[in-house]
């Protein structure tokens, strides 16, 4: 019996999980039997896996569990600060970016906030849990262009706006002009500009706005280490922003929320210079080949630059049938029912190891033949 189902997302009397991963909940919610072999395309974690150094050094870190972890994660923050060219006072460590989002929402409690969609669902969920009024600004598919100047009126009286860049679920990267415009518009409207860069390091040439926090008091940058370093089970993320604001946001953080093993692993990951480069070239070559084949087969995809993309069969108005067809074969894609503006019109798919990508492409070819 899977008790967690009651926390899922209600879609036409079914309760689909709100996030990817943990595939058993998708099958349970649809009352389908999970096949013996499942390939999880619903989770967007690095298919290359965790850096080898974690396995090599894991045993050495064992004694770290005997003591309380450093509540300020100093060693990790110093490593991050050196890499990002900022000071540790501009950083706040979190138990995954998810904890950071919860803390930010708590800081915003009761105010009016905006989310630029499509976007990770947790910004709106966490803010609503804190009694915020959430305005949904939905960009138009299939380009999802961001034109910040058109948002100036909407952002009047809004305390904070969330932008997911590069974007989950589309994989699209908004260009520098658009993001800098948004930062400028937010300055004029006195709105906090919160940019979630959880996937920035998957971009073929990573672009970050973290340096903005040094001079722009109203910019916050959210980062995650769980995606690139494949440590989602360990939980590690951080927030960058002006020190005064971070102090306020950090006030409600549980004292030891980042565990000792996550800190050790985080430092080792950041010092591994080859992992990110290898990952980026692997993803780019796989994604290019996948997109070429998808187009040959007559599917549409988002112009993703990341380790996942949106997929649709243009012959269908919603992708439910395709979703179920693949589930029956143990191929679990991510539904999009809780992404405003996308809602079932696309499926999100992770780029996995080559053999797995091939299996999916073969299943999609067979689908096209039968439909
Ligand atoms: C855009 C985005 N931000 C943040 C998170 C949360 O990441 P973490 O595992 O660090 O909590 C996710 C997780 O899927 C995400 O997609």
């Amino acid at each position: 019996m899977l008790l967690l189902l009651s926390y899922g997302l209600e879609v036409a009397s079914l309760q689909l999980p709100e996030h990817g991963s943990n595939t058993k909940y998708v099958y349970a919610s649809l009352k389908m039997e999970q096949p013996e072999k499942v390939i999880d395309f619903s989770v967007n974690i690095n298919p290359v896996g965790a850096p080898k150094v974690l396995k090599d050094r894991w045993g050495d870190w064992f004694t770290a569990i005997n003591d309380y972890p450093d509540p300020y994660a100093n060693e990790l923050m110093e490593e991050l600060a050196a890499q990002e060219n900022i000071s540790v006072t501009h950083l706040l460590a979190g138990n995954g970016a998810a904890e950071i989002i919860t803390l930010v929402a708590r800081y915003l409690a009761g105010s009016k906030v905006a989310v630029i969609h499509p976007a990770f669902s947790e910004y709106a969920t966490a803010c609503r849990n804190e009694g915020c009024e959430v305005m949904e600004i939905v960009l138009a598919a299939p380009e999802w262009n961001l034109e910040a100047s058109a948002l100036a009126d909407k952002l009047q009286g809004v305390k904070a706006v969330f932008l997911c860049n590069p974007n989950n679920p589309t994989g699209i990267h908004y260009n520098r002009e658009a993001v800098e415009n948004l930062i400028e518009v937010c300055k004029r409207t006195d709105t906090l500009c919160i940019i979630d860069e959880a996937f920035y390091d998957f971009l073929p040439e990573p672009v970050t706005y973290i340096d903005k926090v040094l001079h722009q008091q109203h910019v916050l940058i959210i980062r995650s280490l769980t995606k690139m370093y494949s440590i989602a089970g360990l939980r590690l993320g951080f927030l960058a922003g002006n020190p005064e604001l971070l102090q306020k946001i950090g006030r409600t953080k549980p004292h030891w929320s980042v565990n000792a093993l996550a800190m050790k692993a985080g430092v080792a990951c950041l010092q591994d210079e080859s992992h990110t480069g290898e990952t980026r070239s692997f993803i780019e070559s796989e994604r290019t080949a996948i997109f070429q084949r998808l187009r040959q087969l007559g599917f549409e995809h988002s112009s993703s630059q990341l380790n996942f993309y949106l997929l649709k069969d243009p012959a269908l108005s919603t992708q439910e049938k395709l979703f179920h067809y693949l589930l029956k074969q143990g191929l679990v894609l991510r539904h999009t029912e809780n992404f405003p503006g996308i809602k079932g019109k696309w499926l999100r798919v992770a780029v996995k190891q080559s053999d797995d990508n091939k299996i999916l492409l073969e299943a999609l070819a067979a689908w096209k033949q039968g439909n």
Side-chain angles (χ1 to χ4, degrees):
M1 183 67 187
L2 297 170
L3 297 172
L4 278 177
L5 284 181
S6 55
Y7 297 107
L9 173 81
E10 217 159 314
V11 183
S13 83
L14 295 170
Q15 294 203 320
L16 287 165
E18 284 193 63
H19 295 288
S21 183
N22 297 301
T23 56
K24 60 181 182 271
Y25 296 114
V26 180
Y27 285 98
S29 70
L30 295 172
K31 299 191 171 46
M32 280 170 78
E33 197 168 327
Q34 175 162 317
E36 212 165 289
K37 184 169 183 295
V38 161
I39 307 177
D40 184 6
F41 292 88
S42 73
V43 67
N44 42 19
I45 281 172
N46 188 347
V48 173
K52 184 176 165 294
V53 61
L54 297 193
K55 208 168 180 185
D56 292 346
R57 299 195 46 204
W58 195 251
D60 303 341
W61 297 335
F62 180 71
T63 51
I65 66 170
N66 298 140
D67 204 354
Y68 283 94
D70 173 356
Y72 310 105
N74 245 313
E75 196 190 342
L76 173 67
M77 293 297 98
E78 270 167 18
E79 184 64 39
L80 271 172
Q83 295 208 359
E84 303 293 347
N85 255 326
I86 53 179
S87 81
V88 286
T89 57
H90 287 91
L91 298 170
L92 175 71
N95 184 280
E99 182 184 45
I100 295 294
I101 294 166
T102 306
L103 295 176
V104 170
R106 212 172 279 158
Y107 168 76
L108 298 169
S111 56
K112 185 170 175 185
V113 304
V115 177
I116 298 179
H117 288 287
F120 183 48
S121 61
E122 281 299 309
Y123 320 136
T125 304
C127 286
R128 286 199 179 102
N129 287 343
E130 297 295 339
C132 295
E133 181 191 333
V134 180
M135 174 169 61
E136 295 184 332
I137 299 171
V138 182
L139 305 179
E143 283 89 16
W144 295 286
N145 279 332
L146 173 65
E147 279 173 39
S149 48
L151 302 182
D153 285 346
K154 287 197 170 109
L155 293 180
Q156 294 291 346
V158 170
K159 183 155 178 186
V161 60
F162 290 85
L163 177 74
C164 188
N165 187 45
N167 189 263
N168 175 13
T170 64
I172 284 174
H173 178 234
Y174 303 115
N175 65 38
R176 184 166 281 280
E177 196 188 340
V179 177
E180 290 194 338
N181 271 345
L182 180 68
I183 292 172
E184 271 318 296
V185 166
C186 286
K187 195 172 194 171
R188 291 204 296 276
T189 56
D190 197 17
T191 303
L192 266 179
C193 185
I194 306 168
I195 306 176
D196 183 346
E197 296 186 341
F199 292 98
Y200 95 104
D201 40 8
F202 286 93
L203 286 171
E205 286 176 32
V207 178
T208 173
Y209 295 87
I210 201 164
D211 60 323
K212 299 279 178 199
V213 305
L214 295 175
H215 311 290
Q216 306 263 22
Q217 308 285 305
H218 69 296
V219 176
L220 285 173
I221 305 290
I222 299 172
R223 288 272 191 85
S224 168
L225 277 79
T226 73
K227 312 290 185 182
M228 172 53 80
Y229 299 108
S230 194
I231 53 168
L234 267 182
R235 321 296 306 125
L236 193 58
F238 67 94
L239 181 66
N242 88 71
E244 240 174 76
L245 185 55
L246 291 198
Q247 265 192 3
K248 288 184 193 157
I249 293 172
R251 243 173 232 156
T252 60
K253 185 167 104 84
H255 200 63
W256 298 288
S257 71
V258 181
N259 72 74
L261 291 174
M263 285 182 209
K264 297 268 186 210
V267 173
C269 287
L270 291 168
Q271 289 174 345
D272 183 329
E273 285 169 11
S274 56
H275 189 71
T276 45
E278 276 165 29
T279 296
R280 284 195 280 269
S281 43
F282 172 76
I283 300 272
E284 200 177 357
S285 84
E286 279 299 307
R287 197 186 54 234
T288 307
I290 292 169
F291 282 1
Q292 201 179 358
R293 181 68 182 135
L294 286 175
R295 287 194 294 264
Q296 272 173 1
L297 291 171
F299 287 92
E300 286 178 17
H301 61 81
S302 58
S303 313
S304 171
Q305 295 194 53
L306 301 182
N307 55 321
F308 55 87
Y309 54 93
L310 289 179
L311 166 80
K312 81 153 123 172
D313 180 345
L316 303 171
S317 56
T318 73
Q319 305 298 307
E320 202 180 350
K321 264 194 184 160
L322 176 59
F323 183 51
H324 287 217
Y325 167 84
L326 294 170
L327 280 174
K328 281 185 196 136
Q329 300 173 56
L331 306 176
V332 184
L333 275 54
R334 167 71 159 86
H335 74 84
T336 57
E337 297 296 341
N338 56 339
F339 290 114
I342 292 185
K343 269 187 162 295
K345 296 195 186 94
W346 301 79
L347 295 166
R348 196 191 68 193
V349 192
V351 174
K352 308 268 300 178
Q353 283 291 345
S354 311
D355 288 354
D356 292 342
N357 297 330
K358 217 169 136 209
I359 291 171
L360 177 63
L361 288 170
E362 279 163 11
L364 290 171
W367 160 267
K368 275 292 186 187
Q369 271 175 0
N371 284 275

